[in-house]
Amino acid sequence: MAFEPVIGLEVHAQLKTQTKIFCNCSTEFGKSPNANTCPVCTGMPGVLPVLNKQAVTFAIKAALATNCKIARESRFDRKNYFYPDLPKGYQISQYAAPIAEHGHLDIETPAGEKVIGITRIHMEEDAGKLVHDPHRAKSMVDLNRTGVPLIEIVSEPDIRSAEEAGAYLRKLHAILKYIDVCDGNMEQGSFRCDANISLRPVGQEEFGIRAELKNLNSFKNVEKAIRYEIERQTYVLEEGGQVIQETRLWDPNRNRTASMRGKEEAHDYRYFPDPDLVPLIVEKDWIQEVEKTMPELPDEKKARFVKDFQLSEYDAQVLTASIELATYFEETVKPLQNIKQAANWTMTTLMGMLNAKGLDITQSPVPAQAFSSLLLLLEKGSINANAAKTVFEEMAATGTPPEAIVKEKGLEQVSDQSELEGMVDEVISDNPDEAEAYRNGKTKLFSFFMGQIMKKTRGKADPKVVTPLLKSKL
Ligand code: ADP
Ligand code: MG
Ligand code: ZN
């Protein structure tokens, strides 16, 4: 029997506020353990949480960017459970009345554009972290992350493959970074994903039983874990077994998922409205204020690149995939005429170099300004394409500006009419037999003469000047 995967994703994104969601503690990453704590976020008796307005503004911005309806009134609930990294014994979250619902996000698939529904976005506080010291028979608690503001973005079960899940996550990640509400750092846990997966026989409406995958800390791992889980569930069902509802952890070292807890251990969180917090009211004018700060989103930027730069859909897609790359490209093309050439150089030469070095665009050893200067030299004909490649490699290796490399290596293209004319005369008189044969119709020999000129100039002659000279002299 053929099965169809059904996937829904839950993403936790840390909001880029300076301070925590219900107290004034700093959110700065990497401080010494428990440096960023106070009586509120350590859950001392008698303290009162006060909602961080900036966190709400960021949540509104995320909701607008994902086409959600923002609730005029939402509420904070207590999600009760016991764990040593949760000093209050409950997490403040939005359960019954989230800040936003009914959104969607469009992804590119091989079959065209696909709309993935977003069920809800809610705000909540993060928990702390346990530190397990292998040299001591005890664990320690670091509460710096306790109370850091998060939004959880829950998708509809509209995703049908690991590739679609990857595309959805990359798009959501790009959007949150474009609107500057989340730093997107997956290693530091600023953008985390849980994946829910079930299978159903093709043609069946009803969903199957799902497993929830946790510990997916990169796009690649999300895709790998989903692929593994689809295979595992297919095997279970084909053997006549049943998938059990459970939470499974992805083990990146062994490339498999393993059961963490089953349904029988599922939590009853005993949600109830937090009596310390009043309902959150978001009036229209607040939403309008946030709308005014909304930058160009990935889809809009892509459309503009197609229209203004006459780039293909594909090129525009690649170049707008992250805000950093898009900004780099826009900086690069500022003084240029030949945008298509700049796009090709960015996507092949620049990105090829970054891939080879394992760097991302923000770590590029060639800054946009220098890359732009190089392409300008190429565009003006000061150097030819071969020389430009040589210069680029040197720039990537040493960080030297392109003009200096061109001078130092003597790579300027020879375009001087009289200089090249002299060489053309020489080459013709040095090769009288070939010249004769050319005149008698063996026009293929033209490239022989061009080759001779290139030899004399060590590849630096400008073919646009040499060609007419050779033609007329021959
Ligand atoms: P929970 O409260 O257990 O996290 P939710 O109902 O809020 O469960 O759903 C969480 C996620 O699981 C959502 O992204 C949703 O789309 C997805 N989901 C729900 N049912 C299924 C299913 N049968 N198969 C795959 N994904 C599902
Ligand atoms: Mg869940
Ligand atoms: Zn605090």
Side-chain angles (χ1 to χ4, degrees):
M1 197 192 300
F3 295 101
E4 176 185 50
V6 172
I7 301 162
L9 301 177
E10 295 162 276
V11 170
H12 285 91
Q14 182 182 326
L15 298 174
K16 267 176 88 173
T17 53
Q18 300 287 311
T19 54
K20 294 186 179 181
I21 185 168
F22 298 120
C23 63
N24 266 327
C25 290
S26 164
T27 55
E28 196 181 334
F29 186 83
K31 294 306 269 285
S32 59
N34 300 305
N36 299 343
T37 56
C38 74
V40 174
C41 55
T42 53
M44 294 296 134
V47 298
L48 280 175
V50 177
L51 181 58
N52 181 337
K53 187 173 182 186
Q54 183 64 57
V56 180
T57 296
F58 282 163
I60 295 172
K61 205 168 180 184
L64 290 173
T66 50
N67 312 291
C68 286
K69 281 209 183 64
I70 294 160
R72 182 179 173 276
E73 178 176 335
S74 62
R75 275 202 314 275
F76 287 92
D77 300 292
R78 290 186 180 180
K79 178 179 181 177
N80 300 280
Y81 65 95
F82 176 78
Y83 205 67
D85 67 4
L86 191 74
K88 295 196 296 292
Y90 60 84
Q91 177 195 24
I92 305 179
S93 180
Q94 294 189 310
Y95 182 64
I99 187 164
E101 288 181 288
H102 309 302
H104 65 87
L105 188 152
D106 304 338
I107 60 167
E108 304 291 329
T109 76
E113 205 158 80
K114 179 169 174 178
V115 180
I116 307 295
I118 289 173
T119 314
R120 53 191 268 148
I121 296 182
H122 64 254
M123 305 182 65
E124 60 187 27
E125 57 178 347
D126 209 345
K129 198 173 78 177
L130 290 184
V131 184
H132 307 288
D133 182 344
H135 305 294
R136 283 193 238 186
K138 44 176 86 135
S139 291
M140 291 171 289
V141 191
D142 177 4
L143 299 179
N144 282 349
R145 213 177 59 185
T146 310
V148 161
L150 304 177
I151 46 174
E152 178 172 341
I153 303 147
V154 182
S155 90
E156 288 289 300
D158 290 342
I159 297 164
R160 293 288 171 268
S161 67
E163 292 71 28
E164 285 184 15
Y168 170 87
L169 281 179
R170 288 186 175 87
K171 185 72 174 277
L172 181 58
H173 185 262
I175 289 173
L176 296 181
K177 291 199 68 182
Y178 265 70
I179 63 174
D180 205 22
V181 304
C182 172
D183 71 21
N185 190 323
M186 291 174 90
E187 276 149 37
Q188 292 177 6
S190 308
F191 185 92
R192 328 194 267 269
C193 168
D194 300 337
N196 297 270
I197 307 168
S198 63
L199 297 185
R200 63 180 172 189
V202 170
Q204 177 183 307
E205 185 94 30
E206 196 190 328
F207 291 152
I209 296 165
R210 72 180 142 126
E212 181 173 6
L213 307 185
K214 288 192 179 287
N215 199 29
L216 310 169
N217 58 2
S218 73
F219 296 125
K220 281 260 153 60
N221 277 342
V222 173
E223 290 170 340
K224 274 200 224 164
I226 290 176
R227 268 189 216 111
Y228 174 87
E229 189 58 21
I230 291 171
E231 265 180 43
R232 187 190 69 85
Q233 292 187 14
T234 304
Y235 181 79
V236 168
L237 294 174
E238 275 175 351
E239 292 292 295
Q242 275 202 325
V243 173
I244 42 177
Q245 184 161 350
E246 60 180 351
T247 304
R248 299 178 69 87
L249 276 191
W250 171 246
D251 181 343
N253 298 316
R254 295 163 71 192
N255 278 322
R256 47 166 294 179
T257 63
S259 183
M260 180 173 104
R261 59 167 182 256
K263 197 184 180 181
E264 59 277 12
E265 304 155 54
H267 286 115
D268 173 5
Y269 292 116
R270 293 167 293 123
Y271 284 100
F272 65 88
D274 192 311
D276 289 342
L277 287 156
V278 293
L280 167 60
I281 307 292
V282 178
E283 299 288 8
K284 279 216 178 68
D285 52 353
W286 193 352
I287 298 174
Q288 282 162 0
E289 281 307 307
V290 178
E291 257 164 3
K292 278 189 218 148
T293 69
M294 191 65 81
E296 190 176 45
L297 294 175
D299 286 347
E300 293 162 352
K301 202 182 272 296
K302 178 183 160 192
R304 181 166 62 77
F305 276 20
V306 169
K307 187 167 164 281
D308 290 1
F309 296 152
Q310 261 104 57
L311 294 178
S312 70
E313 289 273 330
Y314 176 80
D315 289 1
Q317 170 78 25
V318 172
L319 292 167
T320 57
S322 79
I323 185 70
E324 290 92 352
L325 180 59
T327 307
Y328 186 102
F329 183 70
E330 290 197 88
E331 188 65 31
T332 298
V333 300
K334 256 183 207 157
L336 303 179
Q337 304 286 318
N338 192 343
I339 310 293
K340 177 66 193 163
Q341 176 166 274
N344 288 340
W345 271 75
T346 304
M347 292 188 299
T348 55
T349 315
L350 178 77
M351 287 170 76
M353 178 274 292
L354 293 174
N355 275 341
K357 289 186 194 275
L359 300 175
D360 71 49
I361 188 75
T362 61
Q363 303 161 313
S364 175
V366 179
Q369 289 237 314
F371 191 51
S372 183
S373 306
L374 170 67
L375 293 174
L376 194 60
L377 291 175
L378 177 62
E379 198 174 280
K380 288 191 307 201
S382 311
I383 53 176
N384 63 26
N386 270 332
K389 287 258 155 66
T390 308
V391 175
F392 180 81
E393 275 160 28
E394 186 76 14
M395 290 165 75
T398 65
T400 313
E403 295 82 357
I405 299 168
V406 169
K407 232 191 217 126
E408 184 200 320
K409 296 197 177 247
L411 290 169
E412 293 95 347
Q413 183 158 254
V414 180
S415 309
D416 183 78
Q417 184 85 15
S418 57
E419 189 180 342
L420 288 171
E421 194 171 348
M423 288 188 202
V424 167
D425 287 338
E426 254 174 62
V427 164
I428 292 173
S429 63
D430 287 353
N431 299 282
D433 297 347
E434 283 80 2
E436 184 61 25
Y438 178 87
R439 288 183 190 115
N440 290 333
K442 216 172 164 193
T443 51
K444 269 201 211 137
L445 279 167
F446 189 80
S447 55
F448 163 79
F449 287 103
M450 184 60 94
Q452 293 299 309
I453 301 285
M454 285 300 179
K455 220 168 162 183
K456 274 189 181 299
T457 58
R458 288 188 294 125
K460 294 182 297 182
D462 184 348
K464 284 199 289 294
V465 180
V466 177
T467 302
L469 275 175
L470 263 178
K471 283 212 166 120
S472 70
K473 298 262 177 187
L474 278 168

